[in-house]
Amino acid sequence: MEKTIKDYLVDALDDLSSENLKKFKSKLCDRKVEPRVRRGNVEKLDYTMELADLLINTFTTRSAVHVTMEILTAIGCNQVAEDLKRDTESDGSAPQPQVQNNSVTAPQPEVQDSAVPAPQRSAAVATTPPGSYDQPDTSAALIPSSLEFKQAILREQGQKIYPVLDKAARKRLALLINNVEFDHEDMKRNGAQRDEENMEKLLRGLGYDVVKRTNLSGQEMDEAIKSFAGRKEHAESDSTFVVIMSHGKRDAILGVHYGVNNPNDVLPVDSIYSHLNSENCPALINKPKVILIQACRGGENGKVWVADSEPDQLWNMESDVWEHKEKDFISLLSCTPDTKSYRHKLNGSLFIGFLVEVFNANANKDDIEELFRQAGSN
């Protein structure tokens, strides 16, 4: 089986003595450069595999190797650092700068640049119980746009398209939060792992390094978004995606500790926009910010699609008729007000599945609002 960046990071960490591993963890916590790692989060890790996950989720795959080599060199483990550099470069696993310069009207695959027409409003997709239609097909590869298309669209609609940075210079980041395991077992989001895999593949195909966080409380989600908004890479980016998948409640997304005895473990939806607005995230001013939320917004559904152990009375999430003062946002929610969002316990949600299917097939030629419309019509 082909090795991944995580495998190489684990190998490097396993090569360290117990004393050097302690030094590595301490040095990691002492870094003054954002994003920072909390000492408490590092000290509770017992396995190098967990530490590798933390590095990737905090710094993204692209940067995790560089941060690891930096710390290895700082603690005097030069040979391990050199071995890690050699292994990732010779294997081709370490992401390399891209030099191609194609473009389309929605965020695009790594083989070309992209642009997004000005988003101004929120939207919602009503995912109704499955009838006669098939499951979404998420297996297809993302279709790249052609150079001819880029030239034509810029010529015809150049003033309506956001500026696109050259691939060799830009640093696109996306945040992906997925809550699967909850304190209450009957709230487990079976199939959500497949959604995470599909969405991460899509985002990477569109040219984004993905910051992944899993199983967070409401406060931890808030902190994750705030930290993401402060990432210095945004200054060298031309857009961003924030994808949150969890259970939903009125005006909020539920944390993993939510329950009758802990009803305040939630993330207010407005906090997402607040953290990413012009005041709190100036690096993303005049740049598209795409917010995707997969969560129920009510309890009206008629019947439960699959035996997913979700009580029928759960989760209310209010109307999507929000007036955002923040500019350059576009939002897509998984269902209309007062309804449930359906998720297959093995294949994942309709919302994520159809979104990935539509982007894979049409992101090479359609703008993001049209892609959202297509996903919503399935």
Side-chain angles (χ1 to χ4, degrees), residues 164-211:
V164 180
L165 299 180
D166 185 80
K167 192 180 284 117
R170 74 185 183 213
K171 295 181 179 179
R172 286 180 174 172
L173 280 186
L175 176 63
L176 175 56
I177 297 176
N178 187 24
N179 286 345
V180 182
E181 304 281 349
F182 290 74
D183 289 352
H184 297 277
E185 293 185 4
D186 62 348
M187 291 174 63
K188 182 177 180 180
R189 299 181 59 250
N190 297 307
Q193 298 93 334
R194 179 62 62 85
D195 284 341
E196 180 177 326
E197 294 169 4
N198 290 334
M199 183 52 64
E200 181 180 8
K201 180 181 177 181
L202 173 63
L203 292 170
R204 293 194 185 282
L206 292 170
Y208 295 86
D209 280 342
V210 182
V211 179

CSV table of all heavy atoms in Angstrom, one decimal, residues 164-211:
chain,number,residue,atom,x,y,z
A,164,VAL,N,-8.2,35.9,-9.2
A,164,VAL,CA,-7.7,34.6,-8.8
A,164,VAL,C,-6.2,34.7,-8.8
A,164,VAL,O,-5.5,35.2,-9.7
A,164,VAL,CB,-8.1,33.6,-9.9
A,164,VAL,CG1,-7.5,32.2,-9.6
A,164,VAL,CG2,-9.6,33.5,-10.0
A,165,LEU,N,-5.6,34.3,-7.7
A,165,LEU,CA,-4.2,34.3,-7.5
A,165,LEU,C,-3.5,33.1,-8.3
A,165,LEU,O,-4.1,32.1,-8.4
A,165,LEU,CB,-3.8,34.2,-6.0
A,165,LEU,CG,-4.3,35.4,-5.2
A,165,LEU,CD1,-3.8,35.1,-3.7
A,165,LEU,CD2,-3.8,36.7,-5.7
A,166,ASP,N,-2.3,33.3,-8.7
A,166,ASP,CA,-1.6,32.3,-9.4
A,166,ASP,C,-1.3,31.1,-8.5
A,166,ASP,O,-1.0,31.3,-7.3
A,166,ASP,CB,-0.3,32.8,-10.0
A,166,ASP,CG,0.5,31.8,-10.8
A,166,ASP,OD1,0.1,31.6,-12.0
A,166,ASP,OD2,1.4,31.2,-10.2
A,167,LYS,N,-1.5,29.9,-9.0
A,167,LYS,CA,-1.4,28.7,-8.2
A,167,LYS,C,0.0,28.6,-7.5
A,167,LYS,O,0.1,28.1,-6.4
A,167,LYS,CB,-1.7,27.5,-9.0
A,167,LYS,CG,-1.9,26.2,-8.2
A,167,LYS,CD,-2.1,25.1,-9.1
A,167,LYS,CE,-3.6,25.2,-9.6
A,167,LYS,NZ,-3.8,25.3,-11.0
A,168,ALA,N,1.0,29.1,-8.1
A,168,ALA,CA,2.4,28.9,-7.6
A,168,ALA,C,2.5,29.8,-6.3
A,168,ALA,O,3.4,29.6,-5.5
A,168,ALA,CB,3.4,29.3,-8.6
A,169,ALA,N,1.7,30.9,-6.2
A,169,ALA,CA,1.9,31.8,-5.1
A,169,ALA,C,0.8,31.7,-4.0
A,169,ALA,O,1.1,32.1,-2.9
A,169,ALA,CB,1.9,33.2,-5.7
A,170,ARG,N,-0.3,31.2,-4.4
A,170,ARG,CA,-1.5,31.3,-3.4
A,170,ARG,C,-1.4,30.2,-2.4
A,170,ARG,O,-0.7,29.1,-2.6
A,170,ARG,CB,-2.8,31.2,-4.2
A,170,ARG,CG,-3.1,29.8,-4.7
A,170,ARG,CD,-4.3,29.8,-5.5
A,170,ARG,NE,-4.6,28.4,-5.9
A,170,ARG,CZ,-5.2,28.1,-7.1
A,170,ARG,NH1,-5.6,29.0,-7.9
A,170,ARG,NH2,-5.4,26.8,-7.4
A,171,LYS,N,-2.1,30.4,-1.3
A,171,LYS,CA,-2.2,29.3,-0.2
A,171,LYS,C,-3.6,29.3,0.2
A,171,LYS,O,-4.0,30.0,1.1
A,171,LYS,CB,-1.3,29.7,1.0
A,171,LYS,CG,0.2,29.7,0.6
A,171,LYS,CD,1.1,30.1,1.9
A,171,LYS,CE,2.5,30.0,1.6
A,171,LYS,NZ,3.4,30.4,2.7
A,172,ARG,N,-4.4,28.4,-0.5
A,172,ARG,CA,-5.8,28.3,-0.1
A,172,ARG,C,-6.0,27.3,1.1
A,172,ARG,O,-5.4,26.3,1.2
A,172,ARG,CB,-6.6,27.7,-1.3
A,172,ARG,CG,-6.8,28.6,-2.4
A,172,ARG,CD,-7.6,28.0,-3.6
A,172,ARG,NE,-8.0,28.9,-4.6
A,172,ARG,CZ,-8.5,28.5,-5.8
A,172,ARG,NH1,-8.7,27.3,-6.0
A,172,ARG,NH2,-8.8,29.5,-6.7
A,173,LEU,N,-6.8,27.7,2.0
A,173,LEU,CA,-7.1,26.9,3.2
A,173,LEU,C,-8.6,26.7,3.3
A,173,LEU,O,-9.4,27.6,3.0
A,173,LEU,CB,-6.7,27.6,4.5
A,173,LEU,CG,-5.2,27.6,4.9
A,173,LEU,CD1,-5.0,28.2,6.2
A,173,LEU,CD2,-4.7,26.1,4.9
A,174,ALA,N,-9.0,25.5,3.8
A,174,ALA,CA,-10.4,25.2,4.0
A,174,ALA,C,-10.5,24.6,5.4
A,174,ALA,O,-9.5,23.9,5.8
A,174,ALA,CB,-11.0,24.2,3.0
A,175,LEU,N,-11.6,24.8,6.1
A,175,LEU,CA,-11.8,24.2,7.5
A,175,LEU,C,-12.9,23.2,7.4
A,175,LEU,O,-14.0,23.5,6.8
A,175,LEU,CB,-12.2,25.3,8.5
A,175,LEU,CG,-12.5,24.8,9.9
A,175,LEU,CD1,-11.3,24.1,10.5
A,175,LEU,CD2,-13.0,26.0,10.7
A,176,LEU,N,-12.7,22.0,7.8
A,176,LEU,CA,-13.7,20.9,7.8
A,176,LEU,C,-13.9,20.4,9.2
A,176,LEU,O,-13.0,19.8,9.8
A,176,LEU,CB,-13.2,19.8,6.9
A,176,LEU,CG,-14.0,18.5,6.8
A,176,LEU,CD1,-15.5,18.9,6.4
A,176,LEU,CD2,-13.4,17.5,5.8
A,177,ILE,N,-15.0,20.6,9.8
A,177,ILE,CA,-15.4,20.2,11.1
A,177,ILE,C,-16.5,19.1,11.0
A,177,ILE,O,-17.5,19.3,10.4
A,177,ILE,CB,-15.9,21.3,12.0
A,177,ILE,CG1,-14.8,22.3,12.2
A,177,ILE,CG2,-16.4,20.8,13.4
A,177,ILE,CD1,-15.3,23.6,13.0
A,178,ASN,N,-16.2,17.9,11.6
A,178,ASN,CA,-17.2,16.8,11.5
A,178,ASN,C,-17.4,16.2,12.9
A,178,ASN,O,-16.4,15.6,13.4
A,178,ASN,CB,-16.6,15.8,10.5
A,178,ASN,CG,-17.6,14.7,10.2
A,178,ASN,OD1,-18.8,14.9,10.4
A,178,ASN,ND2,-17.2,13.5,9.8
A,179,ASN,N,-18.6,16.3,13.4
A,179,ASN,CA,-18.9,15.7,14.7
A,179,ASN,C,-19.6,14.4,14.4
A,179,ASN,O,-20.7,14.4,13.8
A,179,ASN,CB,-19.8,16.6,15.5
A,179,ASN,CG,-19.0,17.8,16.1
A,179,ASN,OD1,-17.8,17.8,16.1
A,179,ASN,ND2,-19.7,18.8,16.6
A,180,VAL,N,-19.0,13.3,14.8
A,180,VAL,CA,-19.5,12.0,14.6
A,180,VAL,C,-20.0,11.3,15.9
A,180,VAL,O,-21.1,10.8,16.1
A,180,VAL,CB,-18.5,11.1,13.9
A,180,VAL,CG1,-19.1,9.7,13.6
A,180,VAL,CG2,-18.0,11.7,12.6
A,181,GLU,N,-19.1,11.3,16.9
A,181,GLU,CA,-19.3,10.6,18.2
A,181,GLU,C,-19.8,11.6,19.2
A,181,GLU,O,-19.1,12.6,19.4
A,181,GLU,CB,-18.0,10.0,18.6
A,181,GLU,CG,-17.4,9.0,17.7
A,181,GLU,CD,-18.1,7.6,17.7
A,181,GLU,OE1,-18.9,7.4,18.6
A,181,GLU,OE2,-17.8,6.8,16.8
A,182,PHE,N,-20.9,11.4,19.8
A,182,PHE,CA,-21.5,12.3,20.8
A,182,PHE,C,-21.5,11.5,22.2
A,182,PHE,O,-21.4,10.3,22.2
A,182,PHE,CB,-22.9,12.7,20.4
A,182,PHE,CG,-22.9,13.7,19.3
A,182,PHE,CD1,-22.7,13.2,18.0
A,182,PHE,CD2,-23.2,15.0,19.5
A,182,PHE,CE1,-22.7,14.1,16.9
A,182,PHE,CE2,-23.2,15.9,18.4
A,182,PHE,CZ,-23.0,15.5,17.2
A,183,ASP,N,-21.6,12.3,23.3
A,183,ASP,CA,-21.7,11.7,24.6
A,183,ASP,C,-22.9,10.7,24.7
A,183,ASP,O,-22.8,9.6,25.3
A,183,ASP,CB,-21.9,12.7,25.7
A,183,ASP,CG,-20.6,13.5,25.9
A,183,ASP,OD1,-19.5,13.1,25.3
A,183,ASP,OD2,-20.6,14.5,26.6
A,184,HIS,N,-24.0,11.0,24.0
A,184,HIS,CA,-25.1,10.2,24.0
A,184,HIS,C,-25.0,9.3,22.7
A,184,HIS,O,-25.0,9.8,21.6
A,184,HIS,CB,-26.4,11.0,23.9
A,184,HIS,CG,-26.6,11.8,25.2
A,184,HIS,ND1,-27.2,11.3,26.3
A,184,HIS,CD2,-26.3,13.1,25.4
A,184,HIS,CE1,-27.2,12.3,27.2
A,184,HIS,NE2,-26.7,13.4,26.7
A,185,GLU,N,-25.0,8.0,22.9
A,185,GLU,CA,-24.7,7.0,21.8
A,185,GLU,C,-25.8,7.1,20.7
A,185,GLU,O,-25.5,6.9,19.6
A,185,GLU,CB,-24.6,5.6,22.4
A,185,GLU,CG,-23.4,5.4,23.2
A,185,GLU,CD,-23.2,3.9,23.7
A,185,GLU,OE1,-24.1,3.1,23.2
A,185,GLU,OE2,-22.3,3.6,24.4
A,186,ASP,N,-27.0,7.4,21.1
A,186,ASP,CA,-28.1,7.5,20.1
A,186,ASP,C,-28.0,8.7,19.2
A,186,ASP,O,-28.7,8.8,18.2
A,186,ASP,CB,-29.5,7.5,20.8
A,186,ASP,CG,-29.7,8.7,21.7
A,186,ASP,OD1,-28.8,9.4,22.0
A,186,ASP,OD2,-30.9,8.8,22.1
A,187,MET,N,-27.0,9.6,19.5
A,187,MET,CA,-26.8,10.7,18.6
A,187,MET,C,-25.6,10.5,17.6
A,187,MET,O,-25.3,11.4,16.8
A,187,MET,CB,-26.5,12.0,19.5
A,187,MET,CG,-27.7,12.5,20.3
A,187,MET,SD,-27.2,13.8,21.4
A,187,MET,CE,-26.7,15.1,20.2
A,188,LYS,N,-25.0,9.3,17.6
A,188,LYS,CA,-23.9,9.1,16.7
A,188,LYS,C,-24.3,9.3,15.3
A,188,LYS,O,-25.4,8.8,14.9
A,188,LYS,CB,-23.4,7.7,16.9
A,188,LYS,CG,-22.2,7.3,16.0
A,188,LYS,CD,-21.6,5.9,16.3
A,188,LYS,CE,-20.4,5.7,15.3
A,188,LYS,NZ,-19.9,4.3,15.6
A,189,ARG,N,-23.5,10.0,14.5
A,189,ARG,CA,-23.9,10.3,13.1
A,189,ARG,C,-23.2,9.3,12.2
A,189,ARG,O,-22.2,9.5,11.5
A,189,ARG,CB,-23.4,11.7,12.8
A,189,ARG,CG,-24.1,12.8,13.6
A,189,ARG,CD,-23.6,14.2,13.3
A,189,ARG,NE,-23.9,14.5,11.9
A,189,ARG,CZ,-23.0,14.6,10.9
A,189,ARG,NH1,-21.7,14.5,11.2
A,189,ARG,NH2,-23.4,14.9,9.7
A,190,ASN,N,-23.9,8.1,12.1
A,190,ASN,CA,-23.4,7.0,11.3
A,190,ASN,C,-23.4,7.5,9.8
A,190,ASN,O,-24.3,8.1,9.3
A,190,ASN,CB,-24.3,5.8,11.4
A,190,ASN,CG,-24.3,5.2,12.8
A,190,ASN,OD1,-23.2,4.9,13.3
A,190,ASN,ND2,-25.5,5.1,13.4
A,191,GLY,N,-22.3,7.2,9.1
A,191,GLY,CA,-22.2,7.6,7.7
A,191,GLY,C,-21.5,8.9,7.5
A,191,GLY,O,-21.1,9.3,6.4
A,192,ALA,N,-21.3,9.7,8.6
A,192,ALA,CA,-20.6,11.0,8.5
A,192,ALA,C,-19.2,10.9,8.1
A,192,ALA,O,-18.6,11.8,7.6
A,192,ALA,CB,-20.7,11.7,9.9
A,193,GLN,N,-18.5,9.7,8.4
A,193,GLN,CA,-17.2,9.5,8.0
A,193,GLN,C,-17.0,9.5,6.5
A,193,GLN,O,-16.1,10.1,6.0
A,193,GLN,CB,-16.6,8.2,8.6
A,193,GLN,CG,-16.6,8.1,10.1
A,193,GLN,CD,-17.8,7.5,10.7
A,193,GLN,OE1,-18.9,7.5,10.1
A,193,GLN,NE2,-17.7,6.9,11.8
A,194,ARG,N,-18.0,9.0,5.8
A,194,ARG,CA,-18.0,9.0,4.4
A,194,ARG,C,-18.1,10.4,3.8
A,194,ARG,O,-17.5,10.8,2.9
A,194,ARG,CB,-19.1,8.1,3.8
A,194,ARG,CG,-19.2,8.1,2.3
A,194,ARG,CD,-18.0,7.5,1.7
A,194,ARG,NE,-17.7,6.1,2.1
A,194,ARG,CZ,-18.3,5.0,1.5
A,194,ARG,NH1,-19.1,5.2,0.5
A,194,ARG,NH2,-18.0,3.8,2.0
A,195,ASP,N,-19.0,11.2,4.5
A,195,ASP,CA,-19.1,12.6,4.1
A,195,ASP,C,-17.8,13.3,4.2
A,195,ASP,O,-17.4,14.1,3.4
A,195,ASP,CB,-20.2,13.3,5.0
A,195,ASP,CG,-21.6,13.0,4.6
A,195,ASP,OD1,-21.8,12.5,3.5
A,195,ASP,OD2,-22.5,13.2,5.4
A,196,GLU,N,-17.1,13.1,5.3
A,196,GLU,CA,-15.8,13.7,5.6
A,196,GLU,C,-14.8,13.3,4.5
A,196,GLU,O,-14.1,14.2,3.9
A,196,GLU,CB,-15.2,13.3,6.9
A,196,GLU,CG,-13.9,13.9,7.3
A,196,GLU,CD,-13.4,13.5,8.7
A,196,GLU,OE1,-14.3,13.4,9.5
A,196,GLU,OE2,-12.2,13.4,8.8
A,197,GLU,N,-14.8,12.1,4.1
A,197,GLU,CA,-13.8,11.6,3.0
A,197,GLU,C,-14.2,12.3,1.7
A,197,GLU,O,-13.3,12.8,1.0
A,197,GLU,CB,-13.9,10.1,2.9
A,197,GLU,CG,-13.4,9.3,4.1
A,197,GLU,CD,-13.8,7.8,4.0
A,197,GLU,OE1,-14.3,7.4,2.9
A,197,GLU,OE2,-13.5,7.1,5.0
A,198,ASN,N,-15.5,12.3,1.4
A,198,ASN,CA,-15.9,12.9,0.1
A,198,ASN,C,-15.6,14.4,0.0
A,198,ASN,O,-15.1,14.9,-1.0
A,198,ASN,CB,-17.4,12.6,-0.1
A,198,ASN,CG,-17.7,11.2,-0.4
A,198,ASN,OD1,-16.8,10.4,-0.9
A,198,ASN,ND2,-18.9,10.8,-0.1
A,199,MET,N,-15.9,15.1,1.1
A,199,MET,CA,-15.7,16.5,1.2
A,199,MET,C,-14.2,16.9,1.2
A,199,MET,O,-13.8,17.9,0.5
A,199,MET,CB,-16.4,17.1,2.4
A,199,MET,CG,-16.3,18.7,2.5
A,199,MET,SD,-16.9,19.5,1.0
A,199,MET,CE,-18.6,19.1,0.9
A,200,GLU,N,-13.4,16.2,1.9
A,200,GLU,CA,-12.0,16.5,1.9
A,200,GLU,C,-11.4,16.3,0.5
A,200,GLU,O,-10.6,17.1,0.0
A,200,GLU,CB,-11.2,15.6,2.9
A,200,GLU,CG,-9.7,15.9,3.0
A,200,GLU,CD,-9.0,15.0,4.0
A,200,GLU,OE1,-9.6,14.1,4.5
A,200,GLU,OE2,-7.8,15.3,4.2
A,201,LYS,N,-11.8,15.2,-0.2
A,201,LYS,CA,-11.3,14.9,-1.5
A,201,LYS,C,-11.7,16.1,-2.5
A,201,LYS,O,-10.9,16.5,-3.3
A,201,LYS,CB,-11.9,13.6,-2.0
A,201,LYS,CG,-11.4,13.2,-3.4
A,201,LYS,CD,-12.0,11.9,-3.9
A,201,LYS,CE,-11.6,11.6,-5.3
A,201,LYS,NZ,-12.3,10.3,-5.7
A,202,LEU,N,-12.9,16.5,-2.3
A,202,LEU,CA,-13.4,17.6,-3.2
A,202,LEU,C,-12.6,18.9,-2.9
A,202,LEU,O,-12.1,19.6,-3.8
A,202,LEU,CB,-14.9,17.9,-3.0
A,202,LEU,CG,-15.4,19.1,-3.7
A,202,LEU,CD1,-15.3,19.0,-5.2
A,202,LEU,CD2,-16.9,19.4,-3.2
A,203,LEU,N,-12.4,19.3,-1.6
A,203,LEU,CA,-11.7,20.5,-1.3
A,203,LEU,C,-10.3,20.5,-1.8
A,203,LEU,O,-9.7,21.5,-2.3
A,203,LEU,CB,-11.8,20.7,0.2
A,203,LEU,CG,-13.2,21.1,0.8
A,203,LEU,CD1,-13.2,21.0,2.3
A,203,LEU,CD2,-13.7,22.4,0.3
A,204,ARG,N,-9.6,19.3,-1.6
A,204,ARG,CA,-8.2,19.2,-2.1
A,204,ARG,C,-8.2,19.3,-3.6
A,204,ARG,O,-7.2,19.9,-4.1
A,204,ARG,CB,-7.6,17.9,-1.6
A,204,ARG,CG,-7.4,17.9,0.0
A,204,ARG,CD,-6.5,16.8,0.4
A,204,ARG,NE,-6.4,16.7,1.9
A,204,ARG,CZ,-5.7,17.5,2.6
A,204,ARG,NH1,-5.0,18.4,2.1
A,204,ARG,NH2,-5.7,17.3,4.0
A,205,GLY,N,-9.2,18.7,-4.2
A,205,GLY,CA,-9.2,18.8,-5.7
A,205,GLY,C,-9.4,20.3,-6.2
A,205,GLY,O,-8.9,20.7,-7.2
A,206,LEU,N,-10.1,21.1,-5.3
A,206,LEU,CA,-10.3,22.5,-5.7
A,206,LEU,C,-9.1,23.4,-5.3
A,206,LEU,O,-9.1,24.6,-5.5
A,206,LEU,CB,-11.5,23.0,-4.9
A,206,LEU,CG,-12.9,22.5,-5.4
A,206,LEU,CD1,-14.0,22.9,-4.5
A,206,LEU,CD2,-13.2,22.9,-6.8
A,207,GLY,N,-8.0,22.7,-4.8
A,207,GLY,CA,-6.8,23.4,-4.5
A,207,GLY,C,-6.6,23.9,-3.1
A,207,GLY,O,-5.8,24.8,-2.8
A,208,TYR,N,-7.4,23.4,-2.1
A,208,TYR,CA,-7.3,23.9,-0.7
A,208,TYR,C,-6.6,22.9,0.1
A,208,TYR,O,-6.8,21.7,0.0
A,208,TYR,CB,-8.7,24.1,-0.2
A,208,TYR,CG,-9.5,25.2,-0.8
A,208,TYR,CD1,-10.3,24.9,-2.0
A,208,TYR,CD2,-9.5,26.5,-0.3
A,208,TYR,CE1,-11.0,25.9,-2.6
A,208,TYR,CE2,-10.3,27.5,-0.9
A,208,TYR,CZ,-11.0,27.2,-2.1
A,208,TYR,OH,-11.7,28.2,-2.7
A,209,ASP,N,-5.7,23.4,1.0
A,209,ASP,CA,-5.2,22.6,2.1
A,209,ASP,C,-6.3,22.5,3.1
A,209,ASP,O,-6.9,23.6,3.4
A,209,ASP,CB,-4.0,23.2,2.7
A,209,ASP,CG,-2.7,22.9,1.9
A,209,ASP,OD1,-2.8,22.0,1.1
A,209,ASP,OD2,-1.7,23.6,2.1
A,210,VAL,N,-6.6,21.4,3.7
A,210,VAL,CA,-7.7,21.2,4.5
A,210,VAL,C,-7.3,21.0,6.0
A,210,VAL,O,-6.5,20.2,6.4
A,210,VAL,CB,-8.6,19.9,4.1
A,210,VAL,CG1,-9.8,19.8,5.0
A,210,VAL,CG2,-9.0,20.0,2.7
A,211,VAL,N,-7.8,21.9,6.8
A,211,VAL,CA,-7.7,21.8,8.3
A,211,VAL,C,-8.9,21.0,8.8
A,211,VAL,O,-10.0,21.5,8.7
A,211,VAL,CB,-7.6,23.2,9.0
A,211,VAL,CG1,-7.5,23.1,10.5
A,211,VAL,CG2,-6.5,24.1,8.4
